[in-house]
Amino acid sequence: TATELAPQDAEVGDRIRLLFQGLSESFRNCLRNAQARGELRSDLDPQAYADFLTGVMQGAAVMARSERMGRTTTSSPGASPS
């Protein structure tokens, strides 16, 4: 994947960094807007949570690729066993 190539290829690394920065900025802006509307606690750090959500999105993409490759996720935290 591009993320795996980034350490060996500076151009790919720069593009990946810009992608993640843009995603994080979008999350941060959404979180700040929610705070301004009173929908989110004012003491929440928008940048910290934006970075967290960006990581979650990356993890979800990896999991989705794994499922397409035949390794499916059969449970989630807190789910009742079958």
Side-chain angles (χ1 to χ4, degrees):
T1 65
T3 304
E4 293 166 332
L5 290 174
Q8 292 91 20
D9 187 321
E11 183 178 346
V12 171
D14 289 343
R15 288 181 182 204
I16 294 296
R17 272 187 292 286
L18 287 173
L19 173 73
F20 288 150
Q21 285 174 349
L23 183 57
S24 184
E25 286 175 17
S26 294
F27 279 130
R28 185 192 66 221
N29 291 338
C30 289
L31 293 167
R32 284 182 177 166
N33 289 338
Q35 282 178 321
R37 291 189 305 268
E39 298 170 349
L40 198 60
R41 291 186 350 225
S42 62
D43 63 335
L44 182 132
D45 179 353
Q47 187 61 60
Y49 277 84
D51 291 342
F52 169 77
L53 291 170
T54 300
V56 168
M57 290 295 297
Q58 178 65 12
V62 169
M63 290 180 72
R65 274 195 310 277
S66 292
E67 289 180 5
R68 284 195 307 268
M69 295 168 52
R71 293 186 293 274
T72 60
T73 303
T74 57
S75 65
S76 61
S80 300
S82 302

